[in-house]
């Protein structure tokens, strides 16, 4: 051949997807023996070299990947970052991390910085709609994959979780334990994940004619913000009997307020469920029910999708959506006087 074989050449030669070749190179246990042998034979026949220097130096790119998350202090994003770093290391790349802190200006500064560093690609959990900015990046040769945000497949690849389904699971679980006066505690609904979780919860509540859902805004998505909401509820009175928090940090803060500062009992007086299923959820003073997101799969898949974008001149964008899982613990036991289980 007149040029070094690419991963796309190998995929075409073996009649498989680019992602399958990537799995053979990085996660061979995910591929059937027959397919693996076909891909390895194509690699030998084409003389494919995984660390192709020409590809590495294309447009002055380095072996680094930019990753921008909304809040690195949130254990959910910490887990996603760790998984992405592990997957990138297997490909011989390193991850440069940026924490936007839900700040659009800070996010923009990180994008500029990573572009100056000539990263081979960008993974980003965006603050808002930055389609125009991402279009410009692509024109300049920096492929992008959206993380924890669904993208239009005609423009970008993305990896996300069905947050509408997750919100539905959370509220439906509270309803099934006999709760009827529910409250949703979340950050601003301008955050797409928060809006989707609320939408799913509202869908579940509409299924019960005697159920209500109150929306309580918080000034952040932290433990302290959750404490503030919990204190406000107690001072106000007229308490809900079930609370769904947009993430586990908020839920842990609400729990601390209700159980440590006041005399309310969880779950006897108020059932409480969070979202993300971070490590701290199981070790809370009352083990916290939560909606589990597959953080390892999110980080790993983001790297795989970016590899497809980098390796192909005309990549087929993909939107990978994972389904969240309900994890039931002690914080959502049945309501007082309820026969629900």
């Amino acid at each position: 051949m007149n040029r070094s074989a690419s991963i796309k050449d190998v995929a075409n030669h073996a009649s498989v997807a680019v992602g399958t070749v990537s799995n053979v190179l990085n996660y061979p246990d995910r591929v059937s023996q027959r397919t693996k042998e076909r891909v390895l034979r194509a690699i030998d026949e084409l003389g494919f070299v995984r660390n192709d220097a020409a590809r590495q130096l294309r447009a002055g790119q380095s072996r680094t990947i930019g990753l921008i998350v909304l809040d690195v202090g949130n254990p959910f994003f910490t887990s996603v970052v760790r998984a992405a770093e592990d997957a990138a290391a297997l490909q011989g790349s390193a991850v440069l991390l940026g924490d936007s802190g839900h700040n659009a200006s800070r996010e923009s500064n990180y994008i500029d910085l990573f572009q100056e560093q000539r990263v081979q690609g960008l993974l980003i959990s965006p603050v808002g709609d930055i389609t125009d900015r991402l279009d410009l990046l692509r024109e300049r040769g920096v492929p992008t994959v959206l993380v924890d945000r669904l993208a239009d497949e005609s423009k970008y690849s993305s990896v996300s979780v069905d947050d509408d389904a997750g919100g539905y699971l959370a509220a439906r679980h509270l309803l099934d334990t006999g709760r009827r006066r529910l409250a949703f505690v979340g950050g601003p609904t301008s955050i797409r994940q928060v809006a989707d979780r609320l939408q799913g919860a509202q869908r579940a509540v509409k299924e019960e004619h005697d159920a209500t859902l109150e929306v309580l805004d918080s000034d952040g998505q932290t433990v302290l913000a959750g404490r503030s909401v919990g204190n406000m509820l107690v001072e106000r009175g007229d308490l809900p009997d079930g609370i769904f928090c947009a993430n586990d940090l908020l839920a842990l803060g609400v729990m601390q307020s209700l159980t440590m500062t006041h005399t309310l009992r969880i779950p006897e007086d108020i059932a409480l469920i969070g979202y993300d299923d971070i490590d701290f959820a199981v070790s809370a003073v009352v083990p916290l029910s939560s909606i589990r997101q597959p953080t390892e799969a999110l980080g790993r898949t983001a790297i795989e999708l970016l590899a497809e974008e980098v390796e192909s001149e005309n990549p087929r964008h993909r939107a990978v959506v994972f389904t969240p899982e309900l994890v039931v613990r002690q914080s959502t036991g049945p309501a007082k006087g309820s026969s629900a289980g």
Side-chain angles (χ1 to χ4, degrees), residues 20-76:
T20 301
V21 179
S22 178
N23 281 338
V24 170
L25 294 171
N26 301 301
Y27 310 100
D29 56 319
R30 299 182 189 173
V31 185
S32 70
Q33 185 62 32
R34 183 176 179 181
T35 300
K36 184 162 43 178
E37 290 175 354
R38 187 162 76 246
V39 170
L40 291 175
R41 186 164 54 249
I43 287 174
D44 289 339
E45 291 174 355
L46 294 177
F48 171 75
V49 178
R50 175 173 175 164
N51 292 323
D52 183 353
R55 179 178 63 82
Q56 292 179 31
L57 296 175
R58 185 182 63 203
Q61 290 173 344
S62 67
R63 294 296 297 174
T64 56
I65 295 168
L67 171 57
I68 303 175
V69 298
L70 292 171
D71 180 9
V72 75
N74 186 330
F76 163 76

Side-chain angles (χ1 to χ4, degrees), residues 4 53 64 76 89 98 102 106 119 137 139 156 187 200 209 211 288 291 297:
S4 298
T64 56
F76 163 76
H102 296 277
R106 188 169 171 178
V119 294
L137 277 179
E139 291 175 6
Y156 303 103
H209 73 279
L288 179 67
I291 302 299

Side-chain angles (χ1 to χ4, degrees), residues 37-286:
E37 290 175 354
R38 187 162 76 246
V39 170
L40 291 175
R41 186 164 54 249
I43 287 174
D44 289 339
E45 291 174 355
L46 294 177
F48 171 75
V49 178
R50 175 173 175 164
N51 292 323
D52 183 353
R55 179 178 63 82
Q56 292 179 31
L57 296 175
R58 185 182 63 203
Q61 290 173 344
S62 67
R63 294 296 297 174
T64 56
I65 295 168
L67 171 57
I68 303 175
V69 298
L70 292 171
D71 180 9
V72 75
N74 186 330
F76 163 76
F77 284 112
T78 304
S79 297
V80 172
V81 170
R82 184 179 300 115
E85 288 177 330
D86 290 344
L90 290 173
Q91 298 182 2
S93 298
V95 172
L96 301 179
L97 178 62
D99 178 6
S100 71
H102 296 277
N103 184 297
S105 177
R106 188 169 171 178
E107 174 185 77
S108 180
N109 289 338
Y110 272 119
I111 292 175
D112 289 339
L113 175 62
F114 290 155
Q115 187 175 341
E116 291 171 5
Q117 295 295 320
R118 296 188 180 276
V119 294
Q120 59 181 295
L122 176 67
L123 308 176
I124 184 169
S125 182
V127 174
D129 184 3
I130 57 171
T131 302
D132 292 343
R133 187 70 192 275
L134 299 185
D135 287 345
L136 183 59
L137 277 179
R138 184 168 55 187
E139 291 175 6
R140 295 176 177 175
V142 183
T144 303
V145 172
L146 270 61
V147 180
D148 197 33
R149 177 75 64 86
L150 182 64
D152 180 351
E153 287 183 80
S154 66
K155 304 195 73 172
Y156 303 103
S157 287
S158 64
V159 56
S160 62
V161 175
D162 188 342
D163 284 311
D164 179 278
Y168 177 87
L169 280 175
R172 185 66 258 172
H173 174 59
L174 291 175
L175 295 166
D176 289 343
T177 65
R179 271 69 186 193
R180 286 298 179 269
R181 300 186 314 280
L182 307 189
F184 174 83
V185 180
T189 53
S190 58
I191 300 175
R192 179 63 181 272
Q193 294 90 329
V194 173
D196 286 349
R197 292 167 197 179
L198 172 58
Q199 179 177 283
Q202 291 170 329
R203 184 159 54 88
V205 169
K206 287 180 180 178
E207 296 177 347
E208 304 293 339
H209 73 279
D210 58 344
T212 59
L213 179 66
E214 178 183 10
V215 179
L216 302 172
D217 289 332
S218 66
D219 58 5
Q221 293 186 304
T222 64
V223 172
L224 289 178
R227 282 189 200 169
S228 179
V229 172
N231 291 338
M232 178 275 295
L233 282 172
V234 173
E235 292 170 4
R236 183 194 73 177
D238 188 25
L239 297 168
D241 58 11
I243 299 176
F244 167 35
C245 293
N247 72 13
D248 287 343
L249 296 180
L250 282 168
L252 292 173
V254 170
M255 181 183 294
Q256 288 178 7
S257 173
L258 299 184
T259 61
M260 297 175 66
T261 308
H262 307 287
T263 59
L264 293 165
R265 299 169 301 165
I266 295 174
E268 291 84 358
D269 298 314
I270 300 177
L272 180 64
I273 187 169
Y275 205 105
D276 292 336
D277 195 34
I278 64 177
D279 290 342
F280 297 120
V282 70
S283 58
V285 60
V286 180

